[in-house]
Amino acid sequence: MDVSTPASSATDPWLIVGLGNPGPEYAMNRHNVGFMVADLLADRVGGRFKRAGKAQAQVVEGRIGPPGPGSRRVVLAKPMSYMNLSGGPVNALRDFYKVPLDHVVAIHDELDIDYGVLRLKLGGGDNGHNGLKSMTKAMGPGYHRVRFGIGRPPGRMQVADFVLKDFSSAERKELDYFVDRAADAVEALLSDGLERAQGAYNS
């Protein structure tokens, strides 16, 4: 951890960011799986996304975990800036809610992992993902990632075309299950810590 970054505590809120693009035309794109997981988490905490003041994002505030001291205060967020400008809205929310960098979680699609496979990690590079690139530029790399595998494009299809296409009919048969599992992984990360969540969900 950067020595200039204050140590986080159990009472600090978490900022859970689903990455995607706003608008109905993008809703079922592979690139929007972060939004899908964030929407499910919002359902679980009983909230509905609303515009966050001046920030270019929608948020839900709630708690994750068992009632009592084990629960975690969370802000679920969906940047409304389009993927490659996600960092500005996320950093504005982090400042507003006073969230330590290691309490930020980005949920995003990952090309280099098979469809539906999850990987949880803290820090690291952006692997060419424009949403992560923007977040890292705005805040530094020391945030958590929940990486949702979408696999590589078939044949000669360009990456940009692949991520902006809807999940295939075959993929959609398992999509709800995988999104549910990713939401479980986020909850485990907050409740049990990174190492235990990795042991349970990294496959």
Side-chain angles (χ1 to χ4, degrees):
M1 180 183 294
D2 187 327
V3 292
S4 65
T5 304
S8 56
S9 75
T11 58
D12 286 321
W14 286 79
L15 177 60
I16 313 299
V17 181
L19 292 178
N21 288 308
E25 67 271 33
Y26 299 106
M28 290 303 297
N29 286 182
R30 294 181 178 93
H31 223 18
N32 269 45
V33 73
F35 274 18
M36 298 174 197
V37 178
D39 285 337
L40 179 56
L41 287 167
D43 286 344
R44 290 184 179 185
V45 303
R48 299 186 64 174
F49 278 101
K50 298 177 182 178
R51 180 71 68 173
K54 295 180 180 179
Q56 202 172 1
Q58 293 181 353
V59 300
V60 169
E61 297 181 50
R63 301 193 79 87
I64 283 177
S71 70
R72 301 287 183 261
R73 186 160 74 93
V74 298
V75 180
L76 305 171
K78 297 192 296 186
M80 294 287 112
S81 56
Y82 291 96
M83 182 69 82
N84 62 352
L85 298 174
S86 300
V90 174
N91 204 32
L93 291 172
R94 190 170 78 91
D95 287 345
F96 180 78
Y97 288 102
K98 297 178 172 56
V99 179
L101 185 56
D102 67 349
H103 274 43
V104 176
V105 182
I107 310 165
H108 64 92
D109 57 303
E110 179 62 64
L111 286 160
D112 288 335
I113 303 175
D114 289 341
Y115 174 58
V117 173
L118 298 176
R119 294 276 193 279
L120 282 68
K121 63 182 286 191
L122 173 63
D126 56 61
N127 204 24
H129 192 287
N130 287 332
L132 298 183
K133 192 176 298 183
S134 179
M135 285 181 61
T136 297
K137 183 178 180 181
M139 307 184 302
Y143 53 92
H144 287 85
R145 299 100 189 275
V146 175
R147 306 158 71 201
F148 186 111
I150 60 169
R152 302 293 302 185
R156 297 185 178 182
M157 183 185 292
Q158 295 295 311
V159 165
D161 294 331
F162 179 69
V163 299
L164 293 176
K165 283 188 179 298
D166 288 358
F167 284 101
S168 70
S169 56
E171 289 169 333
R172 284 199 295 271
K173 292 177 181 177
E174 296 182 291
L175 182 59
D176 287 348
Y177 168 76
F178 289 140
V179 168
D180 191 72
R181 190 166 184 269
D184 289 346
V186 173
E187 293 186 352
L189 171 62
L190 270 58
S191 299
D192 304 331
L194 177 61
E195 188 172 340
R196 289 181 66 183
Q198 286 174 324
Y201 291 95
N202 281 20
S203 50

